[in-house]
Amino acid sequence: MFTGLIEEIGEVVSVEPVDDSLRLVIAGPTVTSDAAHGASIAVSGVCLTVIERGAAPDGRPTFTADVMAQTIAMSTIGDATPGTRVNLERAVRVDTRLGGHIVQGHVDGTAELLSATPHEAWRVLRFSLDRQLAPLLVDKGSVTLSGVSLTVSAISPESEAEQWFEVSLIPETLVATTLGDLAPGDRVNVETDILARHVARMLRLGVAGPGAAAAVEADAAALSDASAHPHTEGHRA
């Protein structure tokens, strides 16, 4: 489990195809400092398992991880090439403050950046939104983009044919994560709030009656707001 607070920006050192999967070597001195074999590291929002540690030709500490075919199909990680910058976060410790929100590292899909609007002290990014994921996002709720815990600052009306959502990023988030490098047309990995996914599943299965369903939705909204940052910027510290 992760929190969506990025610890460092790493770099892909090598990409090796292995049958229908990929083996990545990624440089990241902070996250590899205590990474044992089998440790979990979120790479731009995708939870990967460390299979070995090493060093890049320039001496930077690295870790190696395998990426299976399903992950390649569901995320942007299959687009990685040597030199690609990635957001890195180690699995959360039980004694750590949960500064972002609960992030699993299980990507739901990708979203395309439609526009980036600069303001005096922040930047608003608008992304496309798959209609299947639309019910899982809510205004002022939490979403994870390329591993970064963020607050949804605006979302399209349900009536619009092309769904979208926005996040507002402070300068620190733009500098300390790869989100500041994005240009319209770029894709990001999207992970919706785990609470929203569970509630949606319960409602589809009819586990709760009409009255209970309304109560569950109200509780979900309250918890989502509680996990969200009081402002509309990223949670990245």
Side-chain angles (χ1 to χ4, degrees):
M1 189 178 75
F2 308 91
T3 68
L5 302 185
I6 304 306
E7 296 187 84
E8 66 178 327
I9 296 178
E11 182 180 317
V12 176
V13 175
S14 67
V15 180
E16 177 188 355
V18 181
D19 297 325
D20 63 348
S21 63
L22 294 175
R23 176 160 292 181
L24 302 182
V25 177
I26 299 171
T30 298
V31 299
T32 56
S33 62
D34 60 353
H37 182 273
S40 295
I41 296 177
V43 178
S44 287
V46 179
C47 178
L48 298 181
T49 300
V50 176
I51 59 174
E52 66 180 15
R53 294 168 60 184
D58 59 7
R60 288 177 298 168
T62 63
F63 68 94
T64 301
D66 288 331
V67 185
M68 62 182 181
Q70 182 182 10
T71 303
I72 296 170
M74 290 287 293
S75 71
T76 63
I77 207 159
D79 300 332
T81 59
T84 297
R85 288 166 27 110
V86 289
N87 296 321
L88 299 177
E89 180 192 355
R90 289 169 290 188
V92 67
R93 291 163 49 113
V94 294
D95 61 348
T96 300
R97 292 186 178 89
L98 186 61
H101 73 283
I102 296 174
V103 176
Q104 292 184 296
H106 302 163
V107 174
D108 293 305
T110 63
E112 180 182 328
L113 179 63
L114 301 176
S115 64
T117 306
H119 293 268
E120 290 186 5
W122 67 91
R123 186 182 304 172
V124 176
L125 304 185
R126 176 175 289 194
F127 293 91
S128 62
L129 179 58
D130 190 308
R131 275 204 169 271
Q132 291 186 330
L133 298 182
L136 304 179
L137 268 65
V138 62
D139 188 27
K140 303 303 185 292
S142 296
V143 66
T144 307
L145 300 183
S146 290
V148 184
S149 173
L150 299 167
T151 300
V152 176
S153 57
I155 195 164
S156 58
E158 295 178 5
S159 58
E160 287 199 19
E162 300 296 329
Q163 295 285 289
W164 53 265
F165 69 97
E166 293 180 347
V167 292
S168 300
L169 308 183
I170 60 173
E172 172 66 9
T173 305
L174 295 169
V175 172
T177 76
T178 61
L179 298 183
D181 301 333
L182 295 177
D186 288 343
R187 295 188 303 143
V188 295
N189 296 322
V190 178
E191 180 183 334
T192 57
D193 193 339
I194 180 61
L195 178 61
R197 296 203 298 272
H198 278 300
V199 171
R201 174 70 171 170
M202 290 173 62
L203 294 176
R204 284 198 304 271
L205 293 177
V207 173
V216 169
E217 289 179 321
D219 288 344
L223 286 171
S224 182
D225 284 344
S227 68
H229 195 280
H231 302 293
T232 56
E233 69 271 15
H235 293 302
R236 172 61 177 83

